[in-house]
Amino acid sequence: MATTSLPPTSMQFSVLDRYLKNYSRLEGWFWPDSIAIWDSLLSFQKSAGVAGHFLEIGVYLGKSAVLSTLHSRDNEACILVDAIIQKDLRPTIDSIKPSNVIYAQMRSTDMLHSGALAKHPANFRWIHIDGEHTGMAVINDLNIANTLLNDDGVMIVDDFFNPQYPQITAAVFDWLRVHPIELTLFLIGDNKGYLCRPRSTHSYLLYVKDSLFDDMVARDRPNVSIWKTTRAADMNTFGITPRFGNFNYIGPDWNKKIIEI
Ligand SMILES: C[S@@+](CC[C@H](N)C(=O)[O-])C[C@H]1O[C@@H](n2cnc3c(N)ncnc32)[C@H](O)[C@@H]1O
């Protein structure tokens, strides 16, 4: 996997522009910093030649799924799973991807036995877990996502570090403790945790360290700071927060200028 992103061009922003113009007012739970983080990471995947299918568990009206779907290539399937598929979801997604989308109305606990994934090999590059917010459901959804994510993909867990749903954060760390070499948490921010395979951890960490801040600025979200406050062996995870002081990047308390990955 390549480790640099392309410089922003108007071509690259055509997806984001289309999203902001036509879909950002959809009702849902997907905020401006996350929109910019997703668009940055998906653009990075594009520049690095990463390919694979897309899965979202917990779609509602598609506020987040629309942005990832806009980034999908024609031959990449988008699988949208929700306990209740809203009637307005299909027309919204049809307007951007008329084929190669599967709408699976089911609880995610039924996914493995339903055949919903039968036609798609375990080759997914973008998986968003935003369904039932219990610890049990998150463990179930992580287990499913772990069977599907490819070596270069990103898995996102919603409401990570949200005090309203502490069970989600606990479930993710419990899962990681039992599966220490299957996924790594490389970024936390704006309510979401971002995980990838160990094979691509360094590429994503390097991308966050070298490019994410600039890519946020280029997407008109400059009021953020990106934290990496300890040594790699202690915790190799970045955090992105609302702007702190004059810092683009903030290192450990003992030397805020050092960003070690
Ligand atoms: C917070 S909303 C998703 C928000 C959406 N991603 C967005 O961008 O606005 C949670 C969704 O998960 C669905 N859901 C709840 N429990 C579920 C389960 N066990 N399996 C699948 N979907 C579930 C709900 O029907 C609801 O549409």
Side-chain angles (χ1 to χ4, degrees):
M1 186 179 173
T3 53
T4 51
S5 60
L6 296 173
T9 66
S10 54
M11 262 300 279
Q12 262 186 293
F13 287 122
S14 59
V15 167
L16 182 62
D17 289 344
R18 194 171 161 202
Y19 179 84
L20 294 175
K21 187 161 164 241
N22 299 319
Y23 303 101
S24 60
R25 280 178 297 281
L26 278 170
E27 184 189 309
W29 291 265
F30 191 45
W31 316 120
D33 281 343
S34 291
I35 291 169
I37 294 168
W38 279 39
D39 190 61
S40 299
L41 286 171
L42 284 160
S43 299
F44 172 60
Q45 285 194 344
K46 184 179 181 190
S47 71
V50 175
H53 305 305
F54 291 65
L55 168 68
E56 183 163 276
I57 297 174
V59 186
Y60 190 50
L61 292 174
K63 191 167 177 120
S64 53
V66 162
L67 181 58
S68 48
T69 303
L70 279 167
H71 275 274
S72 67
R73 302 176 183 95
D74 290 349
N75 64 349
E76 294 171 322
C78 294
I79 301 185
L80 305 178
V81 178
D82 201 295
I84 304 166
I85 296 285
Q86 303 287 332
K87 74 171 173 29
D88 289 342
L89 177 66
R90 208 179 275 250
T92 302
I93 300 286
D94 268 353
S95 69
I96 52 178
K97 191 171 174 93
S99 61
N100 216 2
V101 180
I102 293 176
Y103 302 87
Q105 176 163 299
M106 65 183 66
R107 292 168 61 85
S108 59
T109 37
D110 296 329
M111 275 172 71
L112 279 182
H113 309 291
S114 68
L117 298 162
K119 278 202 229 136
H120 295 90
N123 183 22
F124 284 67
R125 67 157 155 135
W126 194 262
I127 299 179
H128 184 210
I129 296 175
D130 192 8
E132 183 181 312
H133 282 33
T134 64
M136 289 85 78
V138 169
I139 294 287
N140 170 79
D141 295 355
L142 286 168
N143 284 333
I144 291 170
N146 186 42
T147 66
L148 299 175
L149 193 73
N150 66 24
D151 271 351
D152 299 323
V154 171
M155 181 196 299
I156 303 131
V157 180
D158 186 61
D159 281 317
F160 196 72
F161 278 178
N162 180 345
Q164 294 169 357
Y165 302 100
Q167 62 276 15
I168 292 181
T169 311
V172 171
F173 283 116
D174 285 349
W175 192 94
L176 288 172
R177 214 162 285 130
V178 179
H179 303 86
I181 54 169
E182 305 207 28
L183 289 170
T184 51
L185 182 66
F186 68 92
L187 177 66
I188 300 167
D190 199 30
N191 247 12
K192 294 185 191 289
Y194 294 80
L195 302 110
C196 65
R197 296 293 188 199
R199 201 199 112 176
S200 52
T201 302
H202 190 70
S203 298
Y204 283 110
L205 287 171
L206 206 56
Y207 167 72
V208 173
K209 177 174 183 269
D210 290 346
S211 306
L212 181 59
F213 181 79
D214 288 345
D215 283 354
M216 295 296 285
V217 173
R219 286 162 178 80
D220 212 18
R221 302 302 301 170
N223 290 320
V224 294
S225 296
I226 299 179
W227 304 69
K228 178 66 177 71
T229 50
T230 191
R231 298 186 173 90
D234 185 19
M235 182 98 194
N236 221 359
T237 305
F238 284 92
I240 182 163
T241 67
R243 188 90 179 156
F244 179 82
N246 210 19
F247 289 97
N248 300 347
Y249 287 88
I250 310 175
D253 292 347
W254 59 88
N255 187 343
K256 291 193 173 357
K257 290 193 179 143
I258 292 177
I259 303 293
E260 183 187 312
I261 60 172

